[in-house]
Amino acid sequence: MKRRRRVIKLCVMMPLVMLLTGCWDLTGLDEKVFVIGIGLDKAEEKGKVDITYLIANAEMGSANGASSNEPSSMTITLRASDFISMKNTANSVISREISYDLLRLILVSEELAKEDDFIRFIYSAIKDREVKRTVHLIVSKEKAEDFFDKNKPLFLSRPHKYYVNMLNRGNEIGLIPESLMHHFLRITEADADLFLSAYTTTDIKKTEDKTRADENDSLAGEMRVEGVTNNSQFLGAAVFSEGKMIGTLTGVENRIAMMINDTTEVSDVISVFPDPSNEDYQVSVRVRKKQNTKVNMDLNAEPPQIHVTLPILLDVLTDPPMNNPVESKKKLENIRKGMENYMEGRVKELVQRTQKEFKADPFGWSLYGRKEFKTLKEYMEFDWMKTYPDMKVDVDVSVSLGKFGRQPKAPSYKEIRD
Amino acid sequence: MKQSEGKIGIRELMAIIMLSVGTKLTDDTPSILYSTAKNSAWMSMLLIGIVSIIPVFFLVKVFSVHKDKNLHQLNIHLFGKFVGNMVSFGLLLFGFTALVLDSATYADIISTMYFTKTPFLPIYLILLIVCGYGAKRGIEHIGSTAWLTIFYLKITLFIALLISFLQGEFKMIYPLWGPGIGEIVKTAGRNISVFADFYYLGLIAPLVSSYKSFKKGTLLAYLIVAIELVIPLIIFVMIFDFTSIEIMQYPFHEMILYISLGFLTNVETIFLPFWLIASFIRFSFYLYLVVLLFGGVFKIKEFEFLIPVIVVLVLFSGLAPKYGEFTIPHLREFFLTTLSPIFFGLPCLMLFIAKVRGDFKHEAAKESH
């Protein structure tokens, strides 16, 4: 009796297992294609955008798929009203269901990013469940369609690997900003600071001068690279104010902005500074932040004042004049002072540029500003974005010297040449 | 076959409370708070937590002299047969409405955030069938399931919150007083009924093994749940900032969609099943309470057999509103506001009547003999 009941129970329970597959939303992996990147371009028609899909070939790179001759990715461009309806529209060409589950980046052409209407198209990102707030928002100099077509990396031909690695590494070294959709939405909605987005292009200028003070102090496409290599550059930042692109920052300027801003992290910065003891040479330095940026404000003053202290730890990695700074305190102090002045100068330049050109700051200072207010109403009335261009901003860089490379001392130049 | 004769201990009681009230942070309760109290919603919640201790404490106090009665029997005892029945009937209506609105909200979360292509009806149906089955098994089973799973559920929740805390930016909770103290207090006053579940706990008071564990369990769980609701409200702001959080409907789910565990990017698939189990337990418990009260008011002894009827009623009421996406959140907000004064006033009134009737003196006299 007991046994029979158990059997009956089991028979009743078994069909329930089928429910576990999630019925309606079930799709097999082999019935889907995965879009890695979406490109947005301006269309001549109002209310429409040209949308490009970068679709990864799932068979590439898997252990047994190596023999297949299919390309690793393909692109398709259509005119659509948004990238949600595009999922169906594109199926007239693509045989399988289109999925945004592995979407890594949304690439916007500079042309579209500078439009007022751009924000209308990008906000469909928060409507679709599959588009996450962790996708990267990137700006390309040329049309996004052309970028995806032309950009054929030699290694890492599987596109998701390539873009994720490229963006993460660029982020670590600070040459491109973090530029997640999440930050874009947050900063745009808070309406106080600037959002920085990674800037990229395949449109490389051919006739650039060979010598430059700092190769990174330029925008993507301007750096001179030779050899047989990837034909795209990721360098510098596109500046967004109120959800619209208004300008660009060079790689170095972006580094400075990221260093000052505590909400972003740059972990591995090696840069080139002019040598304080000999102007003909440059030294390589590793720049690290010792602590968080200290920001003091006096917002009641007229004009409001901000005092920023940026504690920096510098490792001087080269010594081309061969004058052995470690030998004397005076030389060390000289180097320290020289570096400090140089950095302060650069920071001040950037701050002035943001005040005059962009009329808002990319440093996240409004977050510090909030502490000075008791209620949201007071904060809103103060209107950070409006007040910032007139603020008096002081930046102190306090440099302390760290290591001097593996072998701090070098033989004297004169002795060798003797 | 009566299945609810068994009693539950302090562990089970606490687990049930922590799951049924604690999961409120994952639905649209936070967004109701954020809509008026903005970035200071956590302060409103803290205030609610501090103020709600009064009715909860009073309720526990009243039960100290009526250890063998449940809330319905107590109502009849205190207010008389007619008024007592009316009060219980009112409570039943509120309980039923809460069940309908909350379950519809949860089904909506599942269908908008996770299973976008599945129609609403089957999701809702499955949710209610599972919960109906849970409720049918009785309080003992609900309690032991809650106790079995609570650690897994809370640990995953804790991990999700911890990651978010580390990825968040603390400065975003400023300006500290948000929309101003007045608005914070008003929000707290309107939504004090977040803890109304505690009032309904009176229904299972005699089912707890002893009065002492009922008192201890309720108050201890209250403390934990209050903290558990305040901290996430801070963390959501730290991640999304006050402007974005206002337009978000389900901040918790947005959060688990956003965060990543190192190389694991789609972590919501880890959190979803745990959250689902918590919701199943929550609604099993609600359903059980509603049926229990229904059985009390209409004098039906074998109240477990009412469950299928109630499930069907809930299902159709939940499906009824036109433009559910829009109506249900509004109804929920309205409902929370209406329930607030009742939740605060009733226990005070009950204690007052009990004092006037001299119940406490009788008890003291009984004990001294």
Side-chain angles (χ1 to χ4, degrees):
Chain A
M1 188 61 197
K2 228 179 174 182
R3 204 170 162 171
R4 202 150 133 220
R5 259 170 95 181
R6 218 185 261 168
V7 171
I8 293 171
K9 259 191 188 169
L10 211 73
C11 289
V12 176
M13 298 297 257
M14 279 318 272
L16 288 179
V17 176
M18 302 232 248
L19 293 177
L20 292 176
T21 55
C23 26
W24 272 271
D25 286 81
L26 165 86
T27 13
L29 270 183
D30 52 347
E31 289 162 19
K32 278 186 174 185
V33 286
F34 293 99
V35 176
I36 303 298
I38 292 180
L40 299 176
D41 282 312
K42 196 184 162 187
E44 288 86 49
E45 250 175 288
K46 195 169 166 58
K48 298 249 173 186
V49 268
D50 284 339
I51 300 175
T52 308
Y53 277 163
L54 174 71
I55 298 171
N57 185 354
E59 265 174 46
M60 266 293 286
S62 57
N64 54 0
S67 57
S68 109
N69 289 324
E70 294 174 12
S72 63
S73 64
M74 67 164 156
T75 57
I76 161 172
T77 306
L78 287 175
R79 182 159 299 177
S81 7
D82 53 69
F83 48 80
I84 296 176
S85 68
M86 171 84 173
K87 264 188 190 178
N88 270 201
T89 321
N91 270 131
S92 54
V93 185
I94 290 162
S95 50
R96 289 172 286 180
E97 184 191 331
I98 289 157
S99 159
Y100 291 165
D101 272 330
L102 296 180
L103 184 68
R104 289 291 181 268
L105 75 156
I106 294 182
L107 184 79
V108 183
S109 67
E110 197 175 328
E111 195 189 4
L112 179 69
K114 283 182 170 164
E115 289 285 309
D116 283 332
D117 270 352
F118 165 64
I119 196 103
R120 296 177 200 272
F121 296 114
I122 204 72
Y123 255 88
S124 34
I126 60 167
K127 301 269 182 192
D128 192 274
R129 193 209 91 83
E130 287 177 356
V131 180
K132 298 197 163 191
R133 293 171 79 97
T134 45
V135 297
H136 293 266
L137 182 67
I138 295 170
V139 174
S140 69
K141 193 175 167 191
E142 66 272 47
K143 289 190 94 174
E145 184 188 347
D146 298 339
F147 180 86
F148 280 137
D149 280 345
K150 273 197 208 158
N151 184 26
K152 294 274 176 273
L154 289 183
F155 301 156
L156 286 178
S157 53
R158 287 148 76 201
H160 70 284
K161 274 272 173 206
Y162 169 76
Y163 286 107
V164 167
N165 282 328
M166 194 77 208
L167 293 169
N168 284 349
R169 182 62 190 152
N171 217 329
E172 271 168 29
I173 61 174
L175 290 180
I176 50 174
E178 204 184 3
S179 68
L180 296 184
M181 181 64 90
H182 173 70
H183 298 305
F184 174 76
L185 298 173
R186 178 175 73 70
I187 292 172
T188 309
E189 281 158 30
D191 196 19
D193 298 325
L194 295 173
F195 168 73
L196 298 182
S197 154
Y199 193 75
T200 180
T201 187
T202 51
D203 177 18
I204 316 271
K205 284 183 189 164
K206 292 282 186 286
T207 54
E208 277 303 304
D209 52 338
K210 267 187 184 173
T211 49
R212 199 187 291 276
D214 185 342
E215 297 286 357
N216 290 332
D217 200 1
S218 54
L219 263 180
E222 289 171 4
M223 215 174 90
R224 188 189 165 90
V225 179
E226 278 171 15
V228 185
T229 176
N230 299 344
N231 50 4
S232 62
Q233 289 183 8
F234 287 73
L235 183 61
V239 180
F240 281 81
S241 169
E242 301 184 326
K244 188 180 156 188
M245 182 175 163
I246 53 165
T248 51
L249 291 182
T250 67
V252 169
E253 283 171 330
N254 178 58
R255 267 184 174 171
I256 298 170
M258 282 178 86
M259 278 249 164
I260 297 176
N261 195 335
D262 271 345
T263 56
T264 51
E265 208 176 310
V266 270
S267 48
D268 185 16
V269 176
I270 295 179
S271 189
V272 202
F273 287 2
D275 193 313
S277 59
N278 191 334
E279 280 175 16
D280 295 342
Y281 300 100
Q282 285 147 12
V283 286
S284 288
V285 286
R286 172 176 287 130
V287 190
R288 272 179 295 183
K289 238 167 121 172
K290 248 166 80 184
Q291 292 146 14
N292 282 345
T293 319
K294 281 193 204 94
V295 182
N296 296 318
M297 297 191 177
D298 182 4
L299 300 178
N300 294 322
E302 202 53 57
Q305 289 178 348
I306 307 182
H307 187 87
V308 182
T309 317
L310 185 63
I312 291 286
L313 185 66
L314 274 189
D315 293 341
V316 181
L317 301 177
T318 57
D319 179 19
M322 298 177 105
N323 75 344
N324 271 326
V326 268
E327 275 175 349
S328 83
K329 245 188 176 168
K330 212 177 142 195
K331 280 184 187 169
L332 279 179
E333 188 55 25
N334 187 22
I335 285 203
R336 201 187 67 80
K337 265 266 145 57
M339 300 283 177
E340 221 171 70
N341 287 338
Y342 176 73
M343 286 182 80
E344 266 173 28
R346 290 300 312 249
V347 175
K348 256 175 209 154
E349 244 172 63
L350 179 64
V351 170
Q352 267 173 17
R353 220 183 131 200
T354 59
Q355 283 188 316
K356 292 216 172 84
E357 194 182 329
F358 305 134
K359 307 220 178 310
D361 70 300
F363 312 110
W365 283 337
S366 74
L367 292 181
Y368 295 90
R370 288 182 192 193
K371 271 191 194 176
E372 310 286 316
F373 299 97
K374 278 203 186 100
T375 64
L376 277 175
K377 207 174 149 227
E378 288 171 33
Y379 171 68
M380 296 296 202
E381 270 165 15
F382 181 78
D383 201 340
W384 188 268
M385 210 178 229
K386 228 181 190 167
T387 335
Y388 175 75
D390 305 320
M391 283 185 200
K392 193 169 164 286
V393 185
D394 274 333
V395 183
D396 259 343
V397 181
S398 84
V399 169
S400 32
L401 292 175
K403 296 197 169 90
F404 285 81
R406 178 166 61 99
Q407 190 173 316
K409 285 185 187 173
S412 139
Y413 179 79
K414 273 182 199 152
E415 269 172 34
I416 292 176
R417 286 281 146 185
D418 194 9
Chain B
M1 194 169 65
K2 284 201 95 175
Q3 280 168 327
S4 58
E5 271 173 351
K7 295 204 166 194
I8 56 171
I10 181 167
R11 298 184 314 193
E12 285 85 5
L13 178 71
M14 283 179 64
I16 290 178
I17 299 174
M18 280 161 71
L19 287 185
S20 59
V21 187
T23 44
K24 287 196 179 182
L25 74 97
T26 64
D27 55 28
D28 62 345
T29 314
S31 54
I32 291 175
L33 292 174
Y34 284 125
S35 67
T36 45
K38 318 269 164 169
N39 59 335
S40 306
W42 65 276
M43 274 191 208
S44 292
M45 195 63 226
L46 193 67
L47 205 62
I48 293 173
I50 294 167
V51 175
S52 301
I53 192 78
I54 299 169
V56 172
F57 186 74
F58 282 0
L59 190 75
V60 172
K61 187 97 187 144
V62 177
F63 274 103
S64 72
V65 288
H66 299 287
K67 290 173 188 161
D68 50 342
K69 292 194 175 68
N70 74 18
L71 190 67
H72 171 61
Q73 290 154 341
L74 192 65
N75 279 338
I76 290 180
H77 174 79
L78 289 176
F79 297 112
K81 208 167 175 193
F82 180 69
V83 183
N85 262 322
M86 287 311 282
V87 170
S88 289
F89 186 66
L91 285 178
L92 176 64
L93 284 185
F94 275 115
F96 182 75
T97 320
L99 178 59
V100 170
L101 292 177
D102 288 2
S103 59
T105 306
Y106 274 63
D108 181 55
I109 295 175
I110 298 171
S111 72
T112 51
M113 305 297 284
Y114 299 101
F115 298 105
T116 40
K117 270 178 250 158
T118 313
F120 186 72
L121 177 68
I123 290 182
Y124 201 19
L125 191 69
I126 291 172
L127 176 72
L128 285 176
I129 288 176
V130 172
C131 295
Y133 179 72
K136 177 78 180 68
R137 304 288 294 180
I139 190 71
E140 217 184 348
H141 285 90
I142 298 174
S144 48
T145 318
W147 171 249
L148 270 176
T149 50
I150 186 139
F151 287 102
Y152 302 102
L153 303 177
K154 294 295 161 184
I155 286 169
T156 47
L157 177 70
F158 178 74
I159 292 172
L161 290 175
L162 186 72
I163 299 167
S164 318
F165 181 78
L166 296 175
Q167 292 185 357
E169 178 61 52
F170 194 70
K171 291 187 209 80
M172 285 185 200
I173 68 162
Y174 295 100
L176 202 59
W177 297 102
I181 297 171
E183 197 56 49
I184 294 176
V185 174
K186 261 194 250 166
T187 309
R190 266 202 299 273
N191 298 300
I192 204 167
S193 51
V194 168
F195 286 116
D197 303 46
F198 280 89
Y199 188 69
Y200 285 86
L201 271 186
L203 283 169
I204 56 160
L207 297 177
V208 181
S209 54
S210 69
Y211 169 71
K212 222 174 145 195
S213 9
F214 175 68
K215 183 179 166 185
K216 232 169 123 188
T218 309
L219 295 179
L220 203 59
Y222 179 84
L223 190 73
I224 297 172
V225 164
I227 296 169
E228 200 187 319
L229 287 180
V230 171
I231 290 173
L233 286 178
I234 301 178
I235 292 176
F236 295 156
V237 176
M238 283 172 55
I239 286 237
F240 295 117
D241 204 359
F242 70 95
T243 41
S244 306
I245 201 110
E246 265 177 67
I247 55 171
M248 243 170 229
Q249 205 173 1
Y250 307 116
F252 175 78
H253 299 274
E254 286 287 345
M255 184 185 87
I256 58 175
L257 280 172
Y258 169 64
I259 57 174
S260 55
L261 281 171
F263 66 96
L264 292 173
T265 47
N266 295 22
V267 282
E268 76 274 9
T269 42
I270 303 174
F271 297 118
L272 172 69
F274 290 104
W275 173 80
L276 272 179
I277 291 170
S279 340
F280 287 150
I281 293 170
R282 178 177 174 189
F283 290 114
S284 302
F285 180 59
Y286 277 13
L287 205 56
Y288 181 79
L289 288 183
V290 166
V291 174
L292 188 67
L293 194 55
F294 194 90
V297 174
F298 295 104
K299 302 202 174 48
I300 300 167
K301 278 219 177 77
E302 309 259 323
F303 58 83
E304 280 98 343
F305 294 109
L306 289 170
I307 286 172
V309 182
I310 300 282
V311 164
V312 173
L313 271 178
V314 170
L315 181 72
F316 284 112
S317 320
L319 290 173
K322 226 178 176 184
Y323 310 119
E325 286 249 322
F326 168 78
T327 332
I328 286 176
H330 276 263
L331 281 176
R332 245 178 73 81
E333 211 172 331
F334 174 73
F335 175 74
L336 279 173
T337 317
T338 328
L339 192 59
S340 289
I342 299 170
F343 165 60
F344 195 80
L346 260 183
C348 303
L349 190 67
M350 285 169 80
L351 185 75
F352 179 72
I353 293 175
K355 280 254 166 166
V356 171
R357 287 174 54 114
D359 286 355
F360 286 94
K361 275 183 206 144
H362 291 312
E363 190 70 6
K366 240 194 270 169
E367 264 166 29
S368 64
H369 278 297

